[in-house]
Amino acid sequence: MALFRRRRSSSQSDSAVAVDEFWAQWPGLRADLAASIDSGQPVAGETAGRLTECVTRIHPALKWEVSAAPHTSGDLLGDFGLSADDDPDALMARMAELDDPLAALGKGAAYALTLSAGPDDQARILAERWARAAPDEPDWRFFPAFPADHDKLGKPLKWDDHELDLAHCTVSLRVDQQQGRIQAGVYHPDFMFLPEETRNGVADHVVMLALGEDDYVRWIGRVEALAEKPLDPLPPTSIPSVVQQLSGALGSGGWVTLQGRVPLRGLIEIAVRQPLHRRDFPALTLYVLVVVPYTDANDDKLPAGSSAGALEALTTRLRDLLGDNGALLAQQTAAGQRQLHFYLDPDSGVLPELEQAVRAWPEGRAAVQSRLDPEWDVIDQLLRPIKRQLGR
């Protein structure tokens, strides 16, 4: 069914081996790392060196950090077997069933190990693979990027031999809707006494704590350390709500559709997720094109009647089959044919199941093509007319 198959490059094989080697070394590292967190002391030199060597073998751009495990409202829901979509009354009912609900909230991992790729998308892919390969460790959480941690925004921070109380930080925010970016200014009263490099580092760190690393890369265009307090200061914890407003204005979680008429072919319709960032799906590097013919069409040669319903049912089935191992990022429809543009995790092994599901299509011979595309070159090309339409 697949017209061309993926092959592992030597660099991918090397990184896979490096990930396996990391987790093979992990049992000999975790006790020393936990001890350093418990004592509040830096990781011992030999252990730090071994950990750094293991991480840089995965990708030289990756940095590591150990810390106490952050706990968020999402963790609380998980502790009670709930999701964000559940009725809030269910949380109270679940707590009522427990002998000691406060003790239950105290359970969970005590320690965290985070790998940070910074702006390097290739390193972020490998960090994701590292996290997915992590063993089940009740005392540890493993993050492929720095998570947001608002609790730290109210505590002292040591940076370059300076200590600052982040509770005194305020920010100014300027939203560029055309570019889909936010320019952030960070102010602290002690900045006037600090060298520029330190100010800039702290400012970046504050925005990172407010958003987490992935949203920082998605949405922040520039961070500036401010020497003077903003005229309309905001707390750093307000940054996520501004991001949410921006993403909502750009149609976050939805689709943008363009139509154009082509001689002899009728209408051509292209729909893509918008906005779409490479960080949205770090592990999805296998591009898969599903081409499906349909027989019931209207005067514009777009699907109608039974074909329209069958195409929707097929799309839903494929998305359910993939789950977290893949995503539909775009689709194109014209002249009796629909193209579905998926990206999959190549290590998930789900491609044969997708091929089998497509093979059952009843309205003509469907086809599946696949190739590795870690840079997302294909979807970037499809996005160009959408970006031109939106003035980007």
Side-chain angles (χ1 to χ4, degrees):
M1 176 65 69
L3 300 185
F4 50 99
R5 295 285 187 174
R6 67 185 178 94
R7 292 186 178 90
R8 282 190 182 274
S9 68
S10 60
S11 62
Q12 286 178 315
S13 298
D14 290 344
S15 64
V17 169
V19 168
D20 290 342
E21 288 180 347
F22 180 98
W23 293 118
Q25 294 288 328
W26 172 247
L29 297 169
R30 61 187 170 198
D32 286 347
L33 298 177
S36 75
I37 297 169
D38 290 338
S39 65
Q41 298 299 315
V43 178
E46 181 181 354
T47 302
R50 289 173 57 199
L51 181 55
T52 298
E53 183 179 358
C54 289
V55 169
T56 53
R57 282 179 182 172
I58 299 173
H59 195 286
L62 289 172
K63 308 297 182 184
W64 60 267
E65 180 180 288
V66 292
S67 65
H71 294 282
T72 66
S73 58
D75 300 326
L76 182 148
L77 291 173
D79 288 339
F80 290 105
L82 300 168
S83 75
D85 297 327
D86 288 325
D87 187 338
D89 291 339
L91 176 60
M92 301 305 297
R94 179 71 183 97
M95 290 181 69
E97 295 172 2
L98 299 173
D99 294 332
D100 190 351
L102 293 180
L105 286 178
K107 295 179 180 178
Y111 312 112
L113 173 59
T114 302
L115 297 194
S116 170
D120 191 316
D121 283 337
Q122 182 61 35
R124 179 64 180 84
I125 292 169
L126 298 178
E128 187 74 15
R129 301 211 178 288
W130 165 84
R132 289 186 173 214
D136 184 12
E137 294 270 355
D139 291 335
W140 284 86
R141 298 182 68 187
F142 303 103
F143 295 99
F146 284 117
D149 193 339
H150 288 189
D151 187 46
K152 290 182 179 178
L153 288 172
K155 296 181 177 179
L157 169 72
K158 289 186 178 180
W159 194 279
D160 292 343
D161 297 325
H162 302 279
E163 183 170 311
L164 299 89
D165 186 349
L166 296 187
H168 297 306
C169 277
T170 55
V171 300
S172 66
L173 304 172
R174 184 172 67 84
V175 177
D176 185 338
Q177 291 198 3
Q178 186 173 9
Q179 296 298 320
R181 291 281 179 166
I182 295 172
Q183 313 299 323
V186 179
Y187 171 78
H188 191 282
D190 293 347
F191 276 177
M192 67 176 66
F193 308 113
L194 301 178
E196 180 179 2
E197 184 177 355
T198 301
R199 294 197 304 265
N200 292 337
V202 172
D204 264 342
H205 185 70
V206 166
V207 178
M208 190 85 72
L209 289 176
L211 283 178
E213 183 177 343
D214 284 340
D215 268 347
Y216 180 105
V217 173
R218 286 184 185 102
W219 300 107
I220 300 299
R222 182 186 176 196
V223 176
E224 179 184 6
L226 303 177
E228 297 183 3
K229 190 172 184 177
L231 294 177
D232 297 309
L234 297 169
T237 52
S238 68
I239 302 178
S241 63
V242 176
V243 164
Q244 187 175 15
Q245 293 172 20
L246 174 59
S247 63
L250 296 175
S252 180
W255 291 70
V256 171
T257 301
L258 292 181
Q259 286 187 339
R261 188 170 295 278
V262 179
L264 303 180
R265 297 190 65 193
L267 280 180
I268 180 171
E269 184 177 87
I270 301 174
V272 299
R273 288 182 183 241
Q274 182 64 25
L276 182 63
H277 300 274
R278 182 67 188 84
R279 293 287 171 118
D280 294 341
F281 304 103
L284 308 189
T285 59
L286 178 65
Y287 167 67
V288 178
L289 172 63
V290 175
V291 182
V292 183
Y294 53 87
T295 56
D296 191 353
N298 60 23
D299 293 341
D300 291 316
K301 301 185 180 180
L302 295 179
S306 60
S307 290
L311 285 169
E312 290 304 314
L314 174 65
T315 302
T316 299
R317 182 183 177 191
L318 295 181
R319 295 170 79 167
D320 290 345
L321 184 155
L322 293 175
D324 292 337
N325 294 316
L328 177 65
L329 303 190
Q331 66 181 36
Q332 180 174 314
T333 310
Q337 183 184 87
R338 173 163 291 176
Q339 298 179 2
L340 301 171
H341 301 269
F342 289 94
Y343 276 80
L344 276 59
D345 178 355
D347 290 341
S348 66
V350 76
L351 178 58
E353 297 179 57
L354 182 141
E355 291 175 332
Q356 184 177 1
V358 172
R359 193 179 295 121
W361 177 249
E363 298 189 27
R365 184 175 180 179
V368 179
Q369 304 174 12
S370 61
R371 68 178 174 89
L372 286 170
D373 182 23
E375 303 298 328
W376 279 21
D377 292 330
V378 174
I379 194 65
D380 284 346
Q381 185 174 359
L382 286 170
L383 281 172
R384 286 173 187 170
I386 301 291
K387 290 180 177 179
R388 285 197 298 267
Q389 186 78 9
L390 297 175
R392 292 184 197 147

